[in-house]
Amino acid sequence: MKTLICNAQLVNEGTIRTQDLLIDNGRISQIAPQITAPAGAQVIDAQGKHLLPGMIDDQVHFREPGFPNKGTIASESRAAVAGGITSFMEMPNVNPQTTNLQALEDKYTRASQSSLANFAFYLGATNDNLEEIKRLDPNQACGVKIFMGASTGNMLVDNSATLDGIFANSPVVIATHCEDSPTIAANEAAMREKYGDAIPMELHGEIRSREACLKSSQLATELAIRHKARLHVLHLTTADELYLFEPAKQLAQLKGANITAEVCVHHLSFNDSDYARLGSQIKCNPAIKTLADQQALIDAVNRDIIDIIATDHAPHTWEEKQADSYFKAPSGLPLVQHALLGLLDLHAKGHFSLEKIVQKTSHAVAERFELKDRGYLREGYLADLVLVDLNKPFEATLENTRYHCGWSPFTGHKFAASISGTWVNGNQLFDGSRFIDNTLGQRLTFSRT
């Protein structure tokens, strides 16, 4: 079926223009000020609404395999599509962990049978799987994920020789979670001595401290520059790290390395004053920190020190999050359904232009990971689209929350805008209130050699 979306405000490549867009055979076949509808085409009048390339989320934890009580590829991709996310890149800390090529391909098989959104997966690094990383085909994974900080199982990579080997040999982008484990352990011990197990949740940002983040981020950037590697540092949370990244990125260019940085929507939306209201619902790693850090992150997005905005969607059950002590409540929050809406809230408050949001959630992700034919509204590109209404508020409720875990830190919040429709590979799956098609997404492909 051909679909003509007419009279939309297209937000793309730094401009906003009133144009029509024609979808044919899953791709954008024409963009023009006025297009005559082909015979038999579905016509959607988008007068007064904005058409964006679908958000590409480069950091999610969909919990499959291993944790179906928290989420599955099917459930969380569905929530993502309802939120205007058309493609995702999923992390390796599942069970079994995605630390070998067989486990990697198993996840692709699972997603091909259940994901509504397009998908790619990271190969996880450990202290002892360097040879597996060397065997990785550049088109087989979106990147290699290194936990350079506290993690589960054996996925904390703290062996210096292994780190050197990964940065020297990875055939794809290296994505790092940067927190220094010894620093965190020392902070935990000090807090236990003072509070016992009754540590106030608002001290999470002091335990997972700015010093821990900065020390690990410095190590990652030094390794990237030394080995001329491609480094993407995930979820920055502090102003301190921003002071590091501006000169580090410039030095990397001079030395033949390539460094980019990311921030997550919850670190742009919340600060430590919100712990009093939301408690463990916003406990995450790295931690949400101060208002000054939040404001610095927003500024860094606008100054292009931060390249990408993502979610780090990481659901846990409500019962787990309501544990009776700081240490028992797990870190992570569900976000894919409400991430783009949260950014549109920040637009309504004057923090971000629509063009900047599209740049950081679509264009820059496609460029960083070398995605083929995605991330832009261009003729010939796959039609991954989201239609948003900036004049129609949307209130998040438990009833309309689509995460398998059934809760959101945004419950009760009225967003300034709403999602009017989501298209994945030219198929309209969501119409703003319900799913109208369950056509599955595709494995993401790359323009890599």
Side-chain angles (χ1 to χ4, degrees):
M1 178 182 289
K2 298 179 181 180
T3 301
L4 176 64
I5 303 173
C6 57
N7 303 315
Q9 297 286 309
L10 269 63
V11 186
N12 187 56
E13 300 188 67
T15 66
I16 302 177
R17 297 173 181 168
T18 304
Q19 291 184 300
D20 294 355
L21 183 148
L22 181 64
I23 301 169
D24 186 2
N25 197 29
R27 293 182 180 263
I28 299 169
S29 64
Q30 186 180 2
I31 298 173
Q34 190 170 12
I35 300 172
T36 301
Q42 178 189 22
V43 178
I44 295 174
D45 187 355
Q47 181 74 41
K49 298 177 182 178
H50 290 75
L51 189 65
L52 286 57
M55 182 172 173
I56 306 170
D57 192 349
D58 77 349
Q59 187 187 182
V60 302
H61 302 264
F62 281 179
R63 305 305 193 194
E64 184 181 346
F67 307 98
N69 59 319
K70 301 174 188 284
T72 64
I73 292 172
S75 66
E76 306 313 283
S77 67
R78 197 172 182 85
V81 168
I85 293 174
T86 53
S87 300
F88 65 85
M89 302 177 193
E90 209 264 351
M91 289 298 172
N93 52 329
V94 289
N95 186 22
Q97 296 168 340
T98 319
T99 55
N100 60 65
L101 301 185
Q102 181 178 344
L104 181 64
E105 287 303 321
D106 172 71
K107 288 176 77 172
Y108 279 111
T109 299
R110 289 170 176 269
S112 69
Q113 298 167 352
S114 64
S115 179
L116 288 192
N118 305 311
F119 49 87
F121 297 97
Y122 290 87
L123 179 66
T126 71
N127 277 329
D128 55 12
N129 76 338
L130 177 58
E131 293 306 312
E132 199 77 354
I133 291 171
K134 290 179 180 179
R135 289 176 52 216
L136 180 67
D137 185 302
N139 294 296
Q140 196 172 4
C142 49
V144 166
K145 170 65 180 291
I146 307 180
F147 287 92
M148 297 179 67
S151 181
T152 56
N154 68 334
M155 294 198 72
L156 169 61
V157 183
D158 56 3
N159 182 288
S160 58
T162 301
L163 286 170
D164 271 312
I166 295 171
F167 275 83
N169 292 285
S170 175
V172 292
V173 173
I174 299 165
T176 56
H177 177 135
C178 289
E179 292 184 286
D180 181 66
S181 295
T183 301
I184 294 168
N187 292 339
E188 286 181 345
M191 290 293 183
R192 278 188 185 275
E193 185 174 346
K194 184 174 182 179
Y195 295 100
D197 285 338
I199 296 173
M201 199 63 65
E202 58 265 26
L203 296 181
H204 185 53
E206 295 185 28
I207 293 174
R208 315 286 297 210
S209 65
R210 64 187 63 249
E211 293 80 13
C213 294
L214 182 60
K215 185 174 181 178
S216 185
S217 294
Q218 284 177 319
L219 175 59
T221 57
E222 289 167 3
L223 285 165
I225 292 169
R226 182 189 311 160
H227 295 289
K228 298 180 172 58
R230 291 165 290 176
L231 169 66
H232 182 54
V233 180
L234 303 168
H235 44 43
L236 298 187
T237 60
T238 70
D240 308 65
E241 290 168 291
L242 300 175
Y243 299 138
L244 163 71
F245 270 89
E246 192 163 22
K249 289 169 73 173
Q250 294 171 354
L251 180 60
Q253 288 182 328
L254 292 174
K255 297 291 186 178
N258 188 308
I259 297 175
T260 52
E262 173 191 293
V263 68
C264 291
V265 174
H266 47 293
H267 295 118
L268 297 170
S269 301
F270 301 112
N271 60 63
D272 59 1
S273 69
D274 294 301
Y275 284 113
R277 176 173 58 91
L278 294 169
S280 62
Q281 291 183 59
I282 57 169
K283 183 188 179 190
C284 57
N285 299 336
I288 288 165
K289 296 186 173 68
T290 68
L291 175 61
D293 290 311
Q294 179 189 15
Q295 292 171 335
L297 294 169
I298 290 171
D299 179 64
V301 169
N302 283 316
R303 293 198 294 125
D304 295 326
I305 297 170
I306 290 176
D307 304 275
I308 287 172
I309 301 175
T311 69
D312 197 14
H313 173 87
H316 297 282
T317 68
W318 180 252
E319 292 73 22
E320 289 171 324
K321 291 295 274 187
Q322 297 307 303
D324 59 4
S325 74
Y326 168 85
F327 287 104
K328 290 181 181 178
S331 292
L333 62 153
L335 199 61
V336 287
Q337 185 184 344
H338 302 111
L340 183 57
L341 293 176
L343 293 175
L344 293 176
D345 264 11
L346 292 169
H347 165 71
K349 294 174 182 177
H351 294 307
F352 297 140
S353 68
L354 293 177
E355 299 95 319
K356 185 67 69 173
I357 291 172
V358 166
Q359 170 65 27
K360 302 302 181 182
T361 61
S362 299
H363 301 341
V365 194
E367 297 296 337
R368 168 78 281 192
F369 292 91
E370 301 171 283
L371 296 182
K372 186 176 181 181
D373 295 346
R374 299 190 192 274
Y376 293 88
L377 303 182
R378 290 176 176 171
E379 292 179 358
Y381 272 50
L382 288 151
D384 296 336
L385 316 169
V386 55
L387 188 66
V388 300
D389 190 339
L390 302 185
N391 299 307
K392 182 180 178 182
F394 174 82
E395 183 175 355
T397 66
L398 291 177
E399 291 73 26
N400 63 30
T401 294
R402 298 178 183 274
Y403 311 123
H404 181 76
C405 65
W407 65 274
S408 165
F410 285 107
T411 299
H413 176 73
K414 182 174 285 189
F415 292 99
S418 57
I419 306 295
S420 294
T422 308
W423 287 258
V424 180
N425 304 311
N427 302 301
Q428 185 178 10
L429 304 188
F430 185 68
D431 70 359
S433 59
R434 63 190 180 93
F435 284 89
I436 58 176
D437 188 353
N438 290 301
T439 300
L440 297 178
Q442 300 176 3
R443 180 170 177 162
L444 292 172
T445 58
F446 307 93
S447 298
R448 296 172 176 170
T449 55

